[in-house]
Amino acid sequence: MYFVAEVNEKECAKYNCKQCVLFCPEPNCLNYKESDHTAWVWSDRCKGCEICVYVCSDLLKRHCIEMVMVKTGD
């Protein structure tokens, strides 16, 4: 089991800020959909560093991203 970021797209679309995408250290992990004005996570690439959560929740006070538990197949 491990944690990955998950974007609440409905909340994220309200802000259209793209800050989480800019700060994510993993290439092509956190992306932005211009058509929906929201960020999205490629969960296979997410390392669970929580930088996006820190930027969105702690710095910007928007609370659009949270970490969720992913179970690995046994």
Side-chain angles (χ1 to χ4, degrees), residues 29-73:
C29 173
L30 197 51
N31 302 285
Y32 190 79
K33 251 190 286 187
E34 286 291 338
S35 60
D36 297 336
H37 302 289
T38 186
W40 63 276
V41 177
W42 186 0
S43 58
D44 289 344
R45 295 192 58 84
C46 183
K47 306 295 188 221
C49 70
E50 298 188 45
I51 292 174
C52 57
V53 175
Y54 173 72
V55 169
C56 186
S57 297
D58 294 347
L59 295 180
L60 300 174
K61 307 294 185 208
R62 295 185 175 156
H63 309 284
C64 301
I65 305 174
E66 65 181 359
M67 300 304 288
V68 295
M69 179 75 66
V70 174
K71 293 183 180 181
T72 57

Side-chain angles (χ1 to χ4, degrees), residues 2-39:
Y2 58 97
F3 285 96
V4 296
E6 183 176 86
V7 177
N8 178 333
E9 292 182 6
K10 186 175 178 182
E11 282 298 306
C12 181
K14 293 178 185 178
Y15 300 105
N16 192 26
C17 72
K18 306 174 193 158
Q19 293 300 305
C20 58
V21 176
L22 296 174
F23 284 92
C24 180
E26 181 66 25
N28 300 316
C29 173
L30 197 51
N31 302 285
Y32 190 79
K33 251 190 286 187
E34 286 291 338
S35 60
D36 297 336
H37 302 289
T38 186

